[in-house]
Amino acid sequence: MKIKFSKMQGTGNDYVYINSFEHSIACPSELSKMVSDRHFGIGSDGLILVAPSVTADVRMIMFNADGSEGKMCGNGIRCVAKYAYEHGITDKKHMEIETASGIKTVDLTVNEQGTVEYVSVNMGKAVLKPEQIPMIAEGESFIAKEISVGGKLYTATCVSMGNPHCVIFTTGIDDMDLTLKIIPCSRNRSIRNL
């Protein structure tokens, strides 16, 4: 069986996207693990299905590289919006996308050629309560607290915007080598024998 897919990235966060309006995926969790493998698969942070929704313009179903289902990804949802618009699933420049963490609204900037240039998303309120992130910590939040990683102390803030994040603010970022190497990828390749 062949399945068409697209590989897209938002701020370096890359996923394999499959149009679930056209393809039914029997076991997306297993497929996510297979396609995400950077040595033997396509290589990605996971799999996102662009699917029909009864409550929004489109639905995003997201799986991490380990096969676990994620609730939300800000970079991923921006790519879903671009995909849905450019593939004619919707012609809306202000759309609602259903996610496992609720309906999110996105706004698209489209150029004269019909290509989506920018997508902004309303991610909603940040979750700061440790048990809701989820994480193990005392108190009502974990904001600007010290953690030790590899014997080095960092000041961290833990938050969820649908998926848990540990944010570490640091100095000297201008001196860090943060060069991003972009490798062009074919837009529509096929997955065989799944």
Side-chain angles (χ1 to χ4, degrees), residues 63-77:
F63 292 88
N64 296 306
D66 66 0
S68 63
E69 188 170 354
K71 291 184 176 183
M72 175 59 189
C73 174
N75 292 320
I77 198 170

Side-chain angles (χ1 to χ4, degrees), residues 30-131:
E30 289 302 312
L31 180 59
S32 182
K33 289 192 280 188
M34 187 181 87
V35 301
S36 297
D37 189 299
R38 294 197 186 271
H39 300 287
F40 298 103
I42 297 163
S44 68
D45 293 323
L47 172 71
I48 294 180
L49 305 178
V50 182
S53 171
V54 295
T55 58
D57 298 305
V58 68
R59 180 175 173 208
M60 175 177 93
I61 307 170
M62 179 198 140
F63 292 88
N64 296 306
D66 66 0
S68 63
E69 188 170 354
K71 291 184 176 183
M72 175 59 189
C73 174
N75 292 320
I77 198 170
R78 292 186 302 118
C79 291
V80 167
K82 178 177 174 69
Y83 185 98
Y85 185 88
E86 291 183 357
H87 285 82
I89 294 170
T90 181
D91 62 355
K92 294 182 180 178
K93 294 178 186 171
H94 175 83
M95 77 179 71
E96 294 183 338
I97 299 178
E98 179 185 353
T99 73
S101 65
I103 294 176
K104 307 297 180 188
T105 57
V106 297
D107 289 296
L108 287 67
T109 301
V110 180
N111 67 22
E112 292 176 4
Q113 292 76 36
T115 301
V116 176
E117 291 187 349
Y118 302 100
V119 179
S120 63
V121 58
N122 181 344
M123 297 282 291
K125 289 184 177 181
V127 174
L128 296 168
K129 292 188 178 201
E131 65 274 6

Side-chain angles (χ1 to χ4, degrees), residues 132-154:
Q132 293 177 355
I133 291 174
M135 65 170 292
I136 300 170
E138 294 180 12
E140 289 295 310
S141 64
F142 196 91
I143 299 173
K145 295 189 180 182
E146 277 195 348
I147 62 170
S148 176
V149 179
K152 188 172 180 182
L153 289 177
Y154 296 93

